[in-house]
Amino acid sequence: MDPRKVFLIELHEIIKNSSEIRNQLTDPSEDNIVWDEFKLCDEEVNGLKNYNFDDVVLSAIEKTVRDAILGAFHDALALLDAVRDPEIVEVDETWLGLTLSEPNEDEENEEFLHDEIYGAYWDWLEQRNKDEI
């Protein structure tokens, strides 16, 4: 199968799995959050514990989350494809996007995007707040 098709199919599986948050809603804990920046405070955990979620509400929430994640990936891929311009970072030249390709030996020492995503959070935060300083 074409590697691009494999990637897109796998992306839909990731979206589906990531949207299944019913356990985090019905049994919330700050331990359910992987990254410290997004840990729930006690008030948030208690607020979720006190809410009586039924299956219809949980299904609606998961569908809404799945749609939001799909939209986020669509926008990210549009940025990669250069059919969308960067919104918060000013670029000096016309945005030409990025190309995803199968790795080759020349790229052996190149950083992986999945490793860079968490560090880029702080860069994003700086860009978002640069006008407030």
Side-chain angles (χ1 to χ4, degrees), residues 56-74:
V56 172
V57 170
L58 290 168
S59 177
I61 291 169
E62 287 181 338
K63 285 179 180 179
T64 302
V65 169
R66 187 173 302 154
D67 182 63
I69 295 170
L70 178 58
F73 274 112
H74 173 271

Side-chain angles (χ1 to χ4, degrees), residues 12 15 19 42 56 58 70 77 91 93:
H12 277 283
I15 291 166
S19 70
D42 289 339
V56 172
L58 290 168
L70 178 58
L77 293 173
V91 292
E93 300 174 13

Side-chain angles (χ1 to χ4, degrees), residues 24-25 28 40 43-53:
Q24 291 96 321
L25 294 173
L40 302 177
E43 185 179 22
E44 292 165 330
V45 170
N46 290 333
L48 287 171
K49 283 183 177 180
N50 291 331
Y51 193 86
N52 187 17
F53 294 101

Side-chain angles (χ1 to χ4, degrees), residues 22-118:
R22 120 183 2 233
N23 289 340
Q24 291 96 321
L25 294 173
T26 58
D27 187 24
S29 166
E30 65 181 30
D31 297 332
N32 289 346
I33 308 298
V34 176
W35 203 34
D36 286 340
E37 187 67 17
F38 302 123
K39 294 265 186 206
L40 302 177
C41 69
D42 289 339
E43 185 179 22
E44 292 165 330
V45 170
N46 290 333
L48 287 171
K49 283 183 177 180
N50 291 331
Y51 193 86
N52 187 17
F53 294 101
D54 63 26
D55 282 338
V56 172
V57 170
L58 290 168
S59 177
I61 291 169
E62 287 181 338
K63 285 179 180 179
T64 302
V65 169
R66 187 173 302 154
D67 182 63
I69 295 170
L70 178 58
F73 274 112
H74 173 271
D75 290 350
L77 293 173
L79 191 58
L80 281 172
D81 290 338
V83 295
R84 174 186 177 154
D85 290 326
E87 291 184 5
I88 67 168
V89 177
E90 292 182 29
V91 292
D92 295 333
E93 300 174 13
T94 302
W95 176 252
L96 300 176
L98 299 172
T99 302
L100 296 179
S101 61
E102 294 182 51
N104 64 44
E105 295 168 11
D106 296 336
E107 297 171 346
E108 189 174 302
N109 295 323
E110 189 172 322
E111 290 288 327
F112 289 108
L113 289 173
H114 76 274
D115 291 328
E116 294 180 47
I117 188 71
Y118 289 107

Side-chain angles (χ1 to χ4, degrees), residues 110-133:
E110 189 172 322
E111 290 288 327
F112 289 108
L113 289 173
H114 76 274
D115 291 328
E116 294 180 47
I117 188 71
Y118 289 107
Y121 173 82
W122 304 109
D123 299 328
W124 167 79
L125 198 58
E126 181 180 311
Q127 287 291 317
R128 297 276 304 182
N129 296 329
K130 72 180 178 185
D131 294 333
E132 296 176 15
I133 297 175

